[in-house]
Amino acid sequence: MAQAQSNAPASPAITPSTETYREGAVDEKKERSSQEFDLPSPPPKAPQVKAAPQGDPYVLEFNRSPVVGSRFSLRGIYDEARLGFTRPRQWKLKSVKALIRYRHSPALYATRSNLTVMINGASIGSIPLSQEEGEIGNAVFDVPLSQLQNYNQITIAALQNNSPTCTQDPYDPSLWTEILPDSKITFDYEPQPIALDFNRYPYPIFDELSLEPNQITYLLPSKVDQAWLTATSRFQASLGRIADYRRLNTRLVKTVDDVKLTEQLVVIGTPEQQSALKSLALPMPIKDNQILDEKEKALPPDVGVLMLTTTPEDVAPVLVATGNGEAGVKKAIQFLVQSKDQKIGTGQTILVKDLDAVPSPPPRDWPGYLPLAEEFELSDLTNRSGQPFEDITVRGSDSPPIEFDFRALPDDRFESGNSMTLVYSYGPQINAKTSLVEVKLDDVALIGKRLTSINGGTRETLKIDLPGDRIKPTSKIQVDFRLDARERRSCSKVTDQQLWGTLHNDTSFKLNRTTAVQLPDLKLVTLGYPFAAPQDLSQMAMVLPKTPSPSDVMTALEFSARLGRLTKAESVQFTVYTADMLPQEVREEYHLVGVGIEKDFPFPEVFTAGGFELRDTLTRQLDESEIQASPDNDGVVKEIMSPWNDERVLLALAAQTDKGLEQVQDLLKNDPLFFQIQDDTVLISANEQGADAYSPNAYNLDFFKQQPLVSVEKTPLPNRVLRLLGTSWFLLGPALVAATLILYALVQLYLKRVAGQEK
């Protein structure tokens, strides 16, 4: 754990750790870090960011969610649709209204059909479905403020009947209602000041509850060097992990005055690198480019300093990660990217003196993926909340399937002999002729079994063969209880809800797998592989040109954020180098990511390896075909095997121009584009300025498969021999016979020679 000092008046003492983070420390670190540094006294009034100017009510339209798309359909006798939204921290809500726009089937009976809206499970109103054919209905619902939480869910439920007495067929296609995508939730709110305190980190630098993309702005230092690039990229990767599925917009600025009202500023570097620190209202004084404590003593260069402040006029929050030396800056950032350490932060100022080094996880320890053991249970997997699976029960004849991730590691290869032993129970009153349990892998049915006991079943088992060629890193297993009542009662929901099925968490799995992968393959990059093995990214290095441009830096930051989204670990450990500072051992032993335009690209070997190549004078070459294009604003992502290590890869994020690098940044930032990449080379171009990544015609992606695939197998040799014997046992007998005959012939030849020598 970190040893830190804070200016919070009630901060508890923290005992120094015996194992400390020593990378980059000075020779006298142990002696100096045992000193006590005097932090400035807290100001009489805690600093805060001013409340934003009062604006118009905020409108959240349903079509901003990808799950809504062009329509939100409700079908059958009873159906529900759900949409999640958050409540930003800095809002004091005055009123919230939900406007639902809808249209429905003309076959519905208004007296027996209605639409109900619920917030977090509490009903806020119902309306009859009584519109004429083709007419669009509008309904406004007041949302009680007491029902709102940080994370909220609006549920729209439709009860639909096409008969004045009883709807006989629940699957009748005339039973439908559509919620139009321009339905909206309107927030009338009063902006509040933002307190600056590390006890709520990452807020206010990153707000997980924001309804808008978080806007992060980095202040460029006087010189972009290796230390700044590494610290900034690691911090950006940590923000990517925090952001997860949320949008994150990043920008570089040269002065504090360039920061916009809606942005959060991050300043990384020593006072000498970041002269703008002197213009900020910092809780610690700076003199002669040295940070001083209250007694005006300069802090040692290996002490990290973290401060929260505001831009001039207190309009935007600022995070400062600094120190009197590169070691201190690196330690300050490392405190923030190590999730277990950042939790102990508090106050406006933190001095990071000692920091535990987080050990790197094993390369194949990927949270959220299948366990490494050959045999495991459902309880060993985690749900979407990161918690182990418990028993799951579903009810009704039209209950949704129970679904869970069954994600293979990217280098998993499955052979025959994989199985799942389903443990399940079900209730009485089922129709044994028409009720069953079905197991699907990625929506492909594997097996089904009738539920045969009209009195219910307890902990019954079913063994299912899992086809190895269908278990992928994106796989899901669905367990579907198709339940039918033994006695049908006209229009009765009671009998239906008495039907239930339970999936038990001791459902077990047995997998027969090896470790092998074929590279290069950009499809694996969408999983983070191989750069995310291990998950702290410690076996990866990024390399930029000797003098990086802002476009180079932005591309590196977008790639860092993407890797952060794809990984889960206690720390971030990769390093960023400039081309002139790359050590030979890193070149030979690490996975490498090169960034830059063609003329300054740090690894020209990428464009001499065959396939698609970029050359000077805006020249493109594909095999023997060569053209010149002007302008060439396409981005290029290309992966080859490392020329210095046949088990490592070299990824190029390149272009002919800075405009082309912007296309690469768009590819890395936007999910709809990034998860399309495949083969070993992709060219990306935007069809218009400011193209929308969610529009199918906004970008052009071209893929090439030019590099020969190399099989990288990491299975130990004894395991390979056992696997060969296991898969080729039918050849064992003939092989033994052949070996015996060869040995017999050799012995006879030897005996003849001996006999000839004796004569």
Side-chain angles (χ1 to χ4, degrees):
M1 120 176 129
Q3 181 179 355
Q5 286 187 339
S6 167
N7 66 350
S11 176
I14 302 174
T15 305
S17 169
T18 55
E19 181 184 1
T20 57
Y21 181 86
R22 299 181 180 275
E23 186 175 356
V26 296
D27 295 339
E28 300 175 358
K29 174 180 180 300
K30 184 173 181 181
E31 177 184 351
R32 292 191 176 188
S33 60
S34 63
Q35 300 176 11
E36 291 297 330
F37 305 113
D38 295 315
L39 283 166
S41 301
K45 184 178 180 180
Q48 57 185 9
V49 180
K50 289 181 180 178
Q54 180 70 52
D56 296 330
Y58 184 87
V59 177
L60 175 65
E61 293 195 345
F62 284 17
N63 58 12
R64 281 178 45 184
S65 173
V67 301
V68 176
S70 59
R71 61 180 181 176
F72 218 175
S73 295
L74 303 170
R75 299 187 179 276
I77 295 177
Y78 182 81
D79 198 8
E80 292 182 351
R82 296 177 175 85
L83 189 67
F85 64 94
T86 57
R87 179 185 61 185
R89 286 185 173 91
Q90 72 274 22
W91 287 6
K92 182 179 180 181
L93 296 177
K94 297 179 179 178
S95 67
V96 178
K97 297 181 183 295
L99 169 63
I100 308 299
R101 288 170 47 80
Y102 62 96
R103 63 188 184 95
H104 60 79
S105 167
L108 299 186
Y109 270 75
T111 56
R112 303 194 67 244
S113 303
N114 60 66
L115 202 66
T116 300
V117 178
M118 294 174 280
I119 295 289
N120 298 330
S123 176
I124 61 173
S126 296
I127 54 173
L129 296 175
S130 57
Q131 304 300 314
E132 299 292 336
E133 182 175 0
E135 184 179 347
I136 294 177
N138 294 274
V140 178
F141 300 88
D142 288 320
V143 178
L145 300 183
S146 59
Q147 292 295 331
L148 292 179
Q149 307 165 7
N150 286 342
Y151 293 91
N152 304 280
Q153 187 177 78
I154 182 171
T155 303
I156 304 173
L159 178 63
Q160 304 174 126
N161 285 283
N162 56 9
S163 169
T165 56
C166 176
T167 299
Q168 298 293 336
D169 183 6
Y171 305 105
D172 190 325
S174 70
L175 300 174
W176 62 265
T177 298
E178 287 188 348
I179 309 301
L180 301 186
D182 57 350
S183 299
K184 61 193 70 175
I185 302 175
T186 303
F187 301 84
D188 188 9
Y189 68 96
E190 179 182 344
Q192 299 295 297
I194 301 174
L196 301 177
D197 198 319
F198 278 104
N199 64 10
R200 294 193 293 172
Y201 183 83
Y203 185 77
I205 302 304
F206 186 96
D207 185 5
E208 302 104 311
L209 302 180
S210 175
L211 292 173
E212 290 289 331
N214 279 269
Q215 313 282 337
I216 304 297
T217 302
Y218 292 98
L219 183 65
L220 285 168
S222 56
K223 179 183 178 182
V224 176
D225 58 13
Q226 175 189 334
W228 185 87
L229 287 169
T230 298
T232 306
S233 298
R234 287 185 180 184
F235 181 75
Q236 179 77 352
S238 72
L239 288 183
R241 285 184 182 162
I242 295 169
D244 196 10
Y245 58 87
R246 305 170 184 88
R247 296 292 299 274
L248 174 63
N249 293 336
T250 304
R251 198 166 70 94
L252 300 173
V253 296
K254 294 182 178 180
T255 67
V256 174
D257 294 335
D258 295 333
V259 180
K260 300 177 182 178
L261 179 64
T262 57
E263 293 178 327
Q264 292 79 41
L265 178 63
V266 179
V267 182
I268 299 174
T270 64
E272 184 175 359
Q273 294 173 310
Q274 296 284 13
S275 58
L277 289 176
K278 301 172 186 177
S279 66
L280 300 177
L282 299 177
M284 298 192 72
I286 296 177
K287 182 179 180 181
D288 297 330
N289 288 330
Q290 295 284 301
I291 303 172
L292 310 179
D293 63 11
E294 192 176 45
K295 295 182 178 179
E296 298 187 355
K297 294 189 300 183
L299 297 177
D302 66 322
V303 172
V305 181
L306 292 166
M307 293 178 280
L308 287 174
T309 185
T310 67
T311 54
E313 300 182 3
D314 301 334
V315 296
V318 180
L319 170 66
V320 176
T322 185
N324 287 334
E326 290 183 356
V329 176
K330 185 173 184 179
K331 193 178 292 185
I333 288 295
Q334 205 64 24
F335 175 86
L336 294 177
V337 304
Q338 293 183 180
S339 55
K340 71 180 183 64
D341 290 319
Q342 66 177 236
K343 295 176 182 178
I344 66 174
T346 190
Q348 188 193 0
T349 305
I350 296 175
L351 298 185
V352 186
K353 300 195 295 182
D354 296 331
L355 197 63
D356 280 352
V358 176
S360 184
R364 305 188 74 245
D365 181 10
W366 286 40
Y369 288 74
L370 295 179
L372 298 179
E374 292 185 358
E375 298 184 17
F376 56 91
E377 295 183 346
L378 179 60
S379 59
D380 296 319
L381 304 180
T382 56
N383 57 27
R384 294 179 180 178
S385 300
Q387 301 300 316
F389 271 99
E390 303 288 346
D391 293 353
I392 303 174
T393 297
V394 293
R395 292 183 178 274
S397 59
D398 196 26
S399 60
I402 300 171
E403 184 177 80
F404 55 89
D405 289 335
F406 201 73
R407 304 173 65 188
L409 290 168
D411 56 358
D412 272 340
R413 290 296 175 268
F414 296 92
E415 300 174 355
S416 58
N418 309 293
S419 64
M420 168 185 177
T421 301
L422 181 70
V423 183
Y424 63 99
S425 301
Y426 55 95
Q429 299 186 0
I430 65 165
N431 187 332
K433 293 182 179 181
T434 56
S435 299
L436 60 85
V437 61
E438 183 181 57
V439 177
K440 295 179 285 187
L441 176 61
D442 293 330
D443 292 320
V444 176
L446 300 179
I447 197 172
K449 182 182 178 182
R450 279 200 306 124
L451 306 178
T452 56
S453 175
I454 61 175
N455 296 319
T458 303
R459 302 193 63 80
E460 295 186 4
T461 60
L462 174 63
K463 188 172 182 179
I464 306 108
D465 290 330
L466 299 176
D469 59 338
R470 293 184 180 175
I471 305 176
K472 307 295 183 183
T474 55
S475 289
K476 297 179 183 292
I477 287 180
Q478 298 95 14
V479 179
D480 198 354
F481 287 93
R482 304 292 184 97
L483 305 174
D484 196 15
R486 182 172 41 161
E487 298 179 4
R488 290 183 178 270
R489 296 182 182 179
S490 178
C491 299
S492 173
K493 295 291 290 181
V494 176
T495 302
D496 180 82
Q497 291 303 296
Q498 287 179 343
L499 305 177
W500 59 266
T502 296
L503 170 66
H504 295 288
N505 68 347
D506 56 347
T507 291
S508 60
F509 305 88
K510 183 178 181 181
L511 301 178
N512 183 20
R513 56 185 170 181
T514 57
T515 305
V517 66
Q518 287 191 315
L519 297 170
D521 185 356
L522 288 176
K523 196 65 180 177
L524 294 174
V525 177
T526 63
L527 306 169
Y529 191 86
F531 309 103
Q535 290 273 286
D536 66 352
L537 309 173
S538 56
Q539 290 298 307
M540 181 205 85
M542 266 198 290
V543 185
L544 275 63
K546 180 178 179 180
T547 305
S549 69
S551 293
D552 298 332
V553 176
M554 274 302 308
T555 306
L557 291 179
E558 292 294 354
F559 187 71
S560 301
R562 175 56 63 179
L563 286 181
R565 294 179 188 271
L566 295 173
T567 58
K568 295 180 181 178
E570 290 293 325
S571 183
V572 182
Q573 297 286 357
F574 71 89
T575 304
V576 183
Y577 299 92
T578 53
D580 58 323
M581 298 297 292
L582 179 64
Q584 186 64 26
E585 60 270 19
V586 173
R587 183 191 301 266
E588 295 175 353
E589 299 298 331
Y590 283 56
H591 298 292
L592 301 172
V593 179
V595 178
I597 60 176
E598 184 274 334
K599 67 176 182 178
D600 297 322
F601 196 74
F603 299 112
E605 294 85 355
V606 171
F607 301 120
T608 59
F612 180 84
E613 300 178 8
L614 295 179
R615 298 187 178 277
D616 55 6
T617 66
L618 300 179
T619 299
R620 292 178 164 202
Q621 183 169 336
L622 180 63
D623 298 328
E624 299 301 320
S625 302
E626 183 175 307
I627 65 169
Q628 268 187 309
S630 180
D632 184 351
N633 291 328
D634 285 10
V636 179
V637 178
K638 182 176 180 179
E639 187 176 52
I640 65 172
M641 299 306 296
S642 172
W644 307 282
N645 188 326
D646 58 7
E647 292 189 352
R648 303 293 183 181
V649 301
L650 171 56
L651 180 68
L653 307 176
Q656 289 282 20
T657 62
D658 287 342
K659 185 67 177 178
L661 281 183
E662 291 181 12
Q663 314 301 331
V664 177
Q665 296 163 25
D666 291 342
L667 176 72
L668 295 170
K669 180 168 60 176
N670 297 304
D671 290 352
L673 298 176
F674 178 74
F675 288 108
Q676 291 184 51
I677 65 174
Q678 56 185 303
D679 298 331
D680 55 55
T681 305
V682 57
L683 307 183
I684 177 173
S685 59
N687 291 328
E688 57 186 22
Q689 187 74 20
D692 181 6
Y694 288 92
S695 171
N697 301 316
Y699 290 84
N700 291 326
L701 297 178
D702 295 311
F703 305 102
F704 300 95
K705 192 173 184 179
Q706 301 291 317
Q707 302 296 315
L709 291 175
V710 177
S711 182
V712 179
E713 188 163 358
K714 301 179 182 179
T715 306
L717 182 59
N719 292 11
R720 297 186 202 177
V721 174
L722 291 175
R723 183 186 66 190
L724 179 63
L725 293 176
T727 56
S728 308
W729 59 269
F730 54 89
L731 298 176
L732 189 58
L736 289 175
V737 173
T740 302
L741 292 176
I742 294 173
L743 181 61
Y744 176 78
L746 292 174
V747 171
Q748 291 297 318
L749 180 62
Y750 174 76
L751 292 177
K752 287 180 180 181
R753 286 188 177 182
V754 171
Q757 291 176 357
E758 290 178 352
K759 292 179 179 181

